[in-house]
Amino acid sequence: MFTGSMVAIITPFDKDGRFDEEAFRQLIEFQIENGTDVIVPCGTTGESATLDHAEHKRVIKSCIEQVDKRVPVLAGTGSNATTEAIELSQNAKTMGADGVLLISPYYNKPSQEGVYRHFKAIADNVAIPQVLYNVPGRTGMNMTAATTIRLADHPNVVGIKEASGDLTQISQIIAAAGDRIHVVSGDDFLTLPMMACGARGVISVTANILPREIKAMVTAINENRYDDARKMHLHLLELHQAMFIETNPVPIKTAASLMGLCGDHLRMPLAELLPDNLARLKTIMTRYGLIDA
């Protein structure tokens, strides 16, 4: 269900910092029209850490309504508090999400046993397909292959978004549990090598602005057209890197704004791109034909 080209969709805000639902619905249409397989609201790229519970529900509900069952909706409902993650996940299920994306506990820095118990508690309490999310650069800790493999035995755990950047760890998960859990890339620039090892797709940042191109590369890999896929991968590499010249989602939201897809308004503590980085982003986007010189 949660495979292929998936977008970690941004959450647009208006100039007063309120959720811009109309722009959000338009972003969803842009994604579906360009072949995106799964919409992922309220992830890191969606500035979920700045949303209160009411806003979180509204964003997910708006996404489910606008998608209208045309593609699956994988709602971000993770938290560093297990009870909160259970509540958010149950809310998403009640609203009609097809699954939930659960970041590993951040800031607390639990042991691997603690990580296991956290995810098992959510899986035991909420009967919905669950995709785990390992991103050490955000959480301050790595969920090991052994922990992921252990969790793959739970029937509600169906996938993991791996953003550790460790191809050995990723390969270990696929080798031991690839028949029980779908591994997907959490890093655009690693999608090709990860899928070559057996990953099932990507939850992409760059797809916010180039959904058709990300889908084309994933399709080429799935069709074993590796020469085509390699050319696409190398062509997109500079743009992928540009999306991380500062903290995600600052560059991608700025890029989407430059393309007229939504506003560039961020919520504190995020701030706008530094002038030099903005100039660099514009130069790269111009080279890709995304904006005029």
Side-chain angles (χ1 to χ4, degrees):
M1 179 182 290
F2 307 114
T3 61
S5 180
M6 300 169 272
V7 64
I9 198 164
I10 58 179
T11 303
F13 302 116
D14 65 19
K15 60 182 177 61
D16 297 315
R18 296 170 300 199
F19 170 48
D20 189 341
E21 184 173 337
E22 181 179 354
F24 184 61
R25 289 175 180 268
Q26 291 173 354
L27 290 174
I28 291 168
E29 286 304 308
F30 174 64
Q31 291 297 319
I32 294 176
E33 289 168 5
N34 284 279
T36 295
D37 295 304
V38 179
I39 309 295
V40 186
C42 293
T44 304
T45 310
E47 293 176 74
S48 58
T50 69
L51 301 174
D52 63 32
H53 281 201
E55 290 173 321
H56 190 271
K57 292 178 184 178
R58 186 180 170 198
V59 172
I60 293 173
K61 183 179 180 182
S62 299
C63 184
I64 293 167
E65 289 177 349
Q66 190 65 32
V67 168
D68 194 25
K69 302 186 184 302
R70 290 176 288 176
V71 298
V73 173
L74 180 64
T77 58
S79 173
N80 64 332
T82 306
T83 54
E84 182 179 47
I86 291 171
E87 179 186 354
L88 293 173
S89 299
Q90 187 59 57
N91 287 338
K93 178 187 175 182
T94 300
M95 287 186 286
D98 298 285
V100 294
L101 178 68
L102 300 163
I103 194 167
S104 56
Y106 44 87
Y107 190 77
N108 312 60
K109 298 187 75 173
S111 66
Q112 292 300 305
E113 181 63 23
V115 174
Y116 171 78
R117 293 183 188 183
H118 170 82
F119 283 125
K120 185 177 184 297
I122 303 167
D124 285 345
N125 282 277
V126 189
I128 190 172
Q130 299 175 16
V131 177
L132 315 179
Y133 180 17
N134 183 38
V135 55
R138 288 276 187 174
T139 63
M141 52 82 63
N142 177 53
M143 182 165 66
T144 65
T147 300
T148 301
I149 293 162
R150 191 179 174 196
L151 286 161
D153 287 329
H154 200 292
N156 288 333
V157 176
V158 301
I160 180 167
K161 176 183 177 183
E162 251 290 348
S164 65
D166 186 340
L167 283 173
T168 299
Q169 173 169 295
I170 292 161
S171 297
Q172 289 171 335
I173 296 167
I174 295 169
D179 58 337
R180 290 173 286 146
I181 188 171
H182 287 174
V183 177
V184 298
S185 174
D187 293 309
D188 275 294
F189 37 83
L190 288 181
T191 302
L192 175 58
M194 282 184 62
M195 290 188 71
C197 292
R200 304 297 187 94
V202 59
I203 297 178
S204 170
V205 173
T206 306
N208 278 283
I209 57 173
L210 280 181
R212 187 176 297 276
E213 289 77 0
I214 302 302
K215 175 63 178 288
M217 189 186 75
V218 169
T219 300
I221 300 168
N222 284 331
E223 293 177 352
N224 294 317
R225 294 186 285 110
Y226 278 95
D227 284 344
D228 293 338
R230 182 170 59 252
K231 290 174 183 176
M232 296 178 200
H233 165 75
L234 295 174
H235 170 68
L236 291 170
L237 186 58
E238 185 180 26
L239 188 64
H240 292 328
Q241 292 173 313
M243 295 305 104
F244 292 88
I245 53 174
E246 289 187 24
T247 300
N248 178 47
V250 178
I252 190 63
K253 184 173 264 192
T254 305
S257 175
L258 290 169
M259 293 171 63
L261 296 172
C262 66
D264 63 351
H265 310 291
L266 300 151
R267 280 189 170 174
M268 290 177 65
L270 296 181
E272 67 276 6
L273 282 177
L274 294 171
D276 287 350
N277 285 332
L278 177 59
R280 180 182 167 197
L281 178 65
K282 288 180 177 179
T283 297
I284 293 170
M285 290 181 68
T286 300
R287 283 205 292 268
Y288 280 85
L290 294 170
I291 59 174
D292 294 331

